[in-house]
């Protein structure tokens, strides 16, 4: 039973309550200057974007099969069965492969810090463990951001589209993208127009590297036999030459 | 001698300037973090220190495993005289890669974490283990030079006993991580420009590592023959040039087939920076490959050397394209390294040259050595043992 967030862009009024609640939950500063920033960063883990007269949110998608989790060499990132992708700052060594691998360019780094950490939304893992909804969902005055079970939210999103076909772009963003995400989007217009990435592959990204990595035992064992065999044959030849050389 | 002294001084001045700049950049890195010393950003988290110091560094050190395989596993003893410089290059190369990593990692104090905190699904985890283990192998392959210098016969005999499995292990580990540096970028299909993104990246990285390894061997033999006034092992290097031409041809053919199957030749008509960089990279590969097929080129030290340099630069271009420029458009940002990034990189390269030179001066890197059965190298062209300066 994995949790998800449904964000309905058609309901959003751009009040940025979600931003404030998020900053409070992480203990990050929040003021007018930060509210005006439209990029997520190490000090702003979610942001409301303005696209003409429409709004959209940016936050970690908490993918079903996250690239960041698969690439992290120390396992600092984990996909929990609850849904959130969590980060253990005590393990992280700062290689920033998660940032490179993320198809949504979500993970942010504390570039100025002496002992930097990666920062990203973790769908309020600690709150969800206690059965609470995310801080952003709780703060949303119009229900544009909603936390729930992923299956139920997908069904609800489909219902909204069916009930008001003229109001919605008839698709749900996040069902198939990179194998599915835990943040789902509804929009009145094609998703590219509210800044969502439509060039992301539909296959789970960890598959791209695992296809190669899983060959490792085969390569090592075959290689060992092959190289050992070549040495055995070629060394025999030089031993024979050596022996014949001595006889002369 | 009177002619050489001022030239050396100029190089020393340049060396000192590079080291000072590197030192100041190091100060910035330590006290002002990655933000104060690099132009990296959330959307462009990897720059010159990964693209050059790590990716090129590992590739340039590939001569170590290539020549170990040729000399000790395929048992082609003719190439024995260039084995040691190749191992020394590899050993130093990997030390310097680790130095580069210490600069680049946000938490260099946690460099050891992948060894205890496992994630077998991570390519980086695999690279970390391979590089660690291979560094140990290289250290053991390198130790005989030290033992011979000081006449430690017993440890020398121990190392000789384990040398065959050790060398096979070294070649296997190199195969894994050389290719894995290409695998690293398979996770970014939507960011990497299609001229470079291919599922064959691991294979291409592996084959090109062999080519770079051979080219670097020619490169360093040429330089050391000048620096130490040795006679150049020309027939030997010329035949290495022949091998290099074949490896390059195989590489280029795989590259061509891959692009044909992916149907990306149309991209070459688009006038954009990636296209020019691609042509630069491929041009630097094709020209020396064609030239190396000519006996006249192979037998002229200057021409052979130039071909090796072109091959080295072509793959530096390739690694930078895969690791940096090919990702810019897909990441939506323009990245130009900060001066301090370049200063650290230059300082690491300069340190590599300097340490190699000093070590080769005091240790039996180039001399014919007594502990290897000497008649094996006798049929190859014996190098002139006279060293000047």
């Amino acid at each position: 039973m994995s949790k998800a967030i449904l964000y309905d862009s058609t309901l959003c009024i751009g009040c940025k309550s979600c931003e404030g609640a998020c900053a409070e939950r992480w203990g990050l500063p929040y003021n007018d200057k930060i509210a005006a920033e439209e990029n997520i960063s190490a000090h702003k883990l979610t942001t409301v974007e303005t696209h003409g007269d429409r709004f959209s949110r940016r936050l970690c998608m908490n993918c079903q099969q996250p690239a960041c989790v698969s690439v992290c060499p120390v396992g600092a990132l984990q996909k929990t069965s609850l849904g959130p992708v969590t980060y253990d700052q005590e393990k992280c060594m700062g290689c920033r492969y998660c940032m490179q691998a993320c198809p949504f360019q979500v993970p942010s780094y504390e570039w100025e810090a002496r002992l930097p950490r990666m920062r990203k939304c973790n769908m309020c893992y600690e709150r969800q463990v206690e059965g609470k909804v995310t801080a952003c969902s709780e703060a949303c005055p119009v229900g544009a951001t909603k936390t729930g079970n992923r299956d139920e939210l997908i069904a609800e999103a489909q219902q909204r589209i069916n009930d008001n076909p003229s109001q919605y772009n008839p698709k749900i963003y996040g069902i198939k993208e990179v194998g599915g995400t835990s943040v789902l989007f509804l929009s009145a217009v094609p998703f590219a127009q509210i800044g969502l990435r439509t060039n992301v592959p539909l296959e789970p990204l960890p598959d791209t590297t695992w296809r190669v990595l899983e060959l490792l035992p085969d390569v090592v064992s075959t290689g060992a036999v092959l190289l050992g065999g070549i040495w055995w044959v070629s060394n025999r030849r030089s031993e024979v030459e050596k022996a014949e050389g001595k006889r002369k | 001698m009177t002619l050489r002294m001022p030239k050396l001084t100029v190089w020393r001045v340049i060396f000192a300037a590079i080291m000072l700049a590197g030192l100041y950049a190091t100060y910035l890195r330590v006290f002002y973090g990655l933000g104060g010393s690099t132009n990296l950003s959330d959307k462009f988290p990897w720059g010159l220190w990964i693209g050059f110091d790590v990716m090129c560094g590992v590739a340039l050190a590939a001569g170590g495993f290539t020549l170990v395989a040729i000399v000790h596993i395929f048992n082609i003893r003719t190439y024995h005289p260039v084995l040691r410089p190749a191992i020394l290059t590899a050993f130093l190369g990997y030390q310097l890669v680790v130095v580069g990593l210490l600069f680049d990692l946000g938490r260099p104090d946690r460099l050891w974490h992948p060894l205890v905190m496992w994630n077998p699904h991570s390519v980086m985890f695999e690279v970390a283990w391979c590089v660690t283990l291979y560094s140990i192998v290289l250290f053991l392959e390198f130790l005989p030079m030290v033992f011979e210098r000081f006449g430690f016969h017993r440890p020398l005999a121990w190392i000789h006993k384990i040398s065959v499995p050790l060398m096979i292990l070294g070649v296997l580990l190199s195969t894994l991580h050389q290719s894995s540096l290409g695998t690293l970028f398979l996770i970014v299909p939507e960011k990497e420009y299609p001229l470079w993104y291919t599922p064959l990246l691991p294979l291409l990285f592996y084959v090109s590592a062999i080519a770079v390894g051979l080219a670097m061997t020619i490169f360093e033999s040429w330089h050391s023959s000048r620096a130490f006034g040795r006679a150049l092992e020309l027939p030997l290097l010329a035949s290495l040039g022949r091998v290099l031409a074949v490896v390059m041809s195989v590489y280029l053919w795989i590259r061509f087939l891959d692009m044909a199957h992916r149907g990306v030749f149309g991209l070459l008509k688009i006038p954009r920076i990636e296209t020019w960089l691609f042509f630069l990279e491929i041009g630097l590969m094709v020209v020396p490959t064609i030239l190396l097929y000519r006996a006249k080129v192979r037998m002229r030290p200057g021409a052979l050397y130039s071909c090796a340099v072109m091959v080295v630069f072509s793959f530096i271009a390739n690694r930078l394209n895969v690791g940096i420029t090919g990702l810019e458009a897909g990441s939506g940002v323009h990245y130009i390294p900060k001066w301090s990034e370049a200063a650290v990189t230059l300082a690491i390269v300069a340190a590599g040259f300097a340490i190699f030179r000093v070590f080769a001066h005091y240790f039996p890197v180039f001399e014919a050595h007594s502990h290897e059965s000497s008649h094996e190298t006798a049929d190859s062209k014996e190098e002139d043992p006279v060293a000047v300066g």
Side-chain angles (χ1 to χ4, degrees):
Chain A
M1 201 180 61
S2 108
K3 297 285 181 185
I5 288 176
L6 172 64
Y7 171 73
D8 190 333
S9 161
T10 67
L11 299 177
C12 181
I13 53 170
C15 68
K16 303 197 179 191
S17 302
C18 50
E19 289 184 3
C22 180
E24 191 184 333
R25 170 248 184 279
W26 286 100
L28 291 164
Y30 191 70
N31 50 39
D32 289 350
K33 197 172 152 249
I34 292 170
E37 294 172 10
E38 286 222 340
N39 288 316
I40 51 172
S41 62
H43 63 265
K44 189 173 187 185
L45 308 191
T46 185
T47 185
V48 175
E49 296 175 343
T50 314
H51 296 275
D53 57 349
R54 298 177 207 288
F55 302 103
S56 183
R57 279 190 67 191
R58 289 257 295 154
L59 68 162
C60 175
M61 305 292 278
N62 290 274
C63 304
Q64 296 293 88
Q65 294 177 62
C68 58
V69 170
S70 90
V71 300
C72 181
V74 294
L77 288 152
Q78 296 291 334
K79 174 75 178 174
T80 58
S81 55
L82 195 61
V85 174
T86 58
Y87 168 69
D88 182 350
Q89 63 182 56
E90 296 307 316
K91 286 185 174 174
C92 177
M93 64 171 185
C95 73
R96 310 186 299 283
Y97 195 11
C98 52
M99 306 175 65
Q100 186 69 277
C102 177
F104 303 103
Q105 293 182 300
V106 162
S108 305
Y109 209 59
E110 296 179 323
W111 295 103
E112 308 301 325
R114 293 270 300 275
L115 298 175
R117 291 169 295 178
M118 184 276 282
R119 306 304 298 270
K120 75 169 195 68
C121 152
N122 67 0
M123 254 170 69
C124 290
Y125 176 66
E126 299 82 350
R127 291 173 60 100
Q128 297 225 45
V129 167
E130 296 169 12
K132 293 191 217 160
V133 300
T134 64
C136 56
S137 302
E138 193 178 75
C140 185
V142 291
T145 297
K146 188 176 174 183
T147 305
N149 292 329
R150 189 166 183 270
D151 304 345
E152 290 164 26
L153 285 180
I154 290 173
E156 183 181 335
Q158 194 56 52
Q159 193 59 45
R160 289 190 204 174
I161 294 172
N162 295 345
D163 292 347
N164 276 308
S166 60
Q167 244 185 51
Y168 286 100
N169 172 35
K171 282 186 184 128
I172 305 167
Y173 188 95
I175 291 186
K176 283 190 185 151
E177 283 73 13
V178 292
T181 61
S182 295
V183 179
L184 306 161
F185 283 77
L186 282 175
S187 162
V189 291
F191 295 117
Q193 290 179 31
I194 58 163
L196 292 175
R197 297 180 182 209
T198 46
N199 68 335
V200 294
L202 298 183
E203 73 162 338
L205 288 170
D207 292 356
T208 57
T209 45
W210 184 246
R211 273 198 287 273
V212 179
L213 275 182
E214 69 178 347
L215 300 175
L216 195 140
D218 303 7
V219 172
V220 172
S221 50
T222 313
V225 174
L226 183 68
L227 291 172
I230 291 171
W231 172 81
W232 187 64
V233 172
S234 65
N235 188 56
R236 169 76 188 145
R237 198 160 46 198
S238 77
E239 274 174 0
V240 169
E241 278 168 15
K242 216 180 281 180
E244 284 175 348
K246 271 178 194 155
R247 230 173 283 143
K248 282 171 199 167
Chain B
M1 275 323 261
T2 40
L3 269 172
R4 284 187 70 175
M5 278 313 283
K7 191 179 157 198
L8 264 176
T9 316
V10 169
W11 281 109
R12 277 181 190 162
V13 169
I14 294 173
F15 179 74
I18 290 175
M19 282 321 211
L20 277 176
L23 211 61
Y24 184 58
T26 306
Y27 162 79
L28 290 180
R29 168 67 188 88
V30 172
F31 289 96
Y32 296 91
L34 287 164
S37 53
T38 70
N39 278 344
L40 299 174
S41 62
D42 286 342
K43 291 192 172 176
F44 212 81
W46 286 358
L48 194 64
W49 291 343
I50 293 288
F52 187 88
D53 301 23
V54 174
M55 284 173 54
C56 295
V58 169
L60 295 177
F65 91 89
T66 310
L67 277 151
V68 160
I70 292 176
V71 174
H72 283 296
I73 295 173
F74 288 86
N75 222 355
I76 309 174
R77 297 280 159 164
T78 331
Y79 296 107
H80 202 273
V82 288
L83 176 63
R84 283 194 165 184
I87 290 177
L88 178 60
T89 310
F91 180 61
L92 291 179
Y94 278 81
Q95 308 303 304
L96 296 173
V97 164
V98 173
V99 172
L101 261 180
L102 290 175
F103 275 90
D104 186 76
L105 286 180
R107 292 293 302 264
D109 54 313
R110 294 173 173 177
L111 183 70
W112 53 276
H113 272 197
L115 300 182
V116 284
M117 302 166 188
W118 290 27
N119 177 14
H121 282 261
S122 166
V123 185
M124 185 87 80
F125 166 77
E126 190 231 303
V127 173
W129 264 96
C130 282
V131 168
T132 307
L133 292 176
Y134 187 51
S135 296
I136 298 170
V137 170
L138 275 173
F139 179 64
L140 293 173
E141 290 178 347
F142 152 91
L143 267 185
M145 298 182 219
V146 180
F147 289 161
E148 273 177 28
R149 171 73 175 76
F150 297 111
F152 299 157
H153 296 290
R154 198 174 289 168
L156 202 60
W158 290 339
I159 287 195
H160 275 296
K161 263 181 205 153
I162 57 159
S163 69
V164 172
L166 191 70
M167 284 164 181
I168 291 177
L169 180 67
V171 175
L172 287 174
L173 289 168
S174 295
T175 305
L176 293 183
H177 72 265
Q178 291 286 359
S179 57
S180 288
L181 286 179
T183 316
L184 278 183
F185 293 90
L186 291 183
I187 200 93
V188 288
E190 76 293 335
K191 281 185 200 162
E192 187 77 86
Y193 196 68
L195 283 176
W196 291 287
Y197 187 87
T198 157
L200 289 190
L201 271 175
L203 178 67
L204 290 172
F205 266 55
Y206 181 58
V207 178
S208 59
I210 296 173
V212 180
L214 295 170
M216 278 300 284
T217 306
I218 296 173
F219 174 86
E220 70 216 10
S221 289
W222 190 86
H223 272 283
S224 60
S225 84
R226 298 200 108 198
F228 300 113
R230 293 181 312 116
L232 197 67
E233 311 89 337
L234 191 59
L236 194 160
L237 294 183
S239 72
L240 263 193
R242 207 185 269 259
V243 181
L244 178 57
V246 174
V247 177
M248 288 298 290
S249 306
V250 170
Y251 175 87
L252 285 166
W253 183 240
I254 299 175
R255 196 91 189 261
F256 173 81
L257 285 181
D258 166 62
M259 290 182 71
H261 290 312
R262 290 188 300 119
V264 291
F265 285 116
L267 290 172
L268 300 178
K269 282 180 246 157
I270 307 171
R272 50 185 293 166
I273 182 79
E274 287 86 353
T275 311
W276 311 131
L277 289 169
F278 176 83
F279 279 125
L280 174 74
E281 173 191 323
I282 295 293
L284 280 171
M285 290 170 188
V286 171
V287 171
T289 307
I290 294 172
L291 288 176
L292 282 171
Y293 275 104
R294 300 173 58 91
K296 267 186 196 165
V297 172
R298 289 197 305 272
M299 290 310 288
R300 274 180 46 216
L304 181 65
Y305 170 76
S306 309
C307 285
V309 170
M310 270 190 272
V311 169
V312 168
F313 274 97
S314 74
F315 287 111
I316 289 179
N318 173 257
R319 297 305 194 261
L320 293 179
N321 280 335
V322 172
I324 298 176
T325 39
L327 292 166
E328 286 193 49
S331 302
V333 278
H334 190 48
Y335 162 82
I336 290 184
K338 203 173 200 153
W339 73 267
S340 39
E341 288 177 77
V344 167
T345 297
L346 274 175
I348 290 177
V349 173
F353 271 98
I355 299 170
F356 184 96
R357 200 185 187 295
V358 170
F359 194 89
H361 187 77
Y362 290 105
F363 288 83
V365 177
F366 286 103
E367 287 107 321
H369 19 80
S370 52
H371 296 279
E372 301 280 337
S373 30
S374 55
H375 72 271
E376 277 172 353
T377 46
D379 56 338
S380 70
K381 205 165 172 89
E382 200 77 68
E383 67 270 62
D384 188 356
V386 178
V388 180

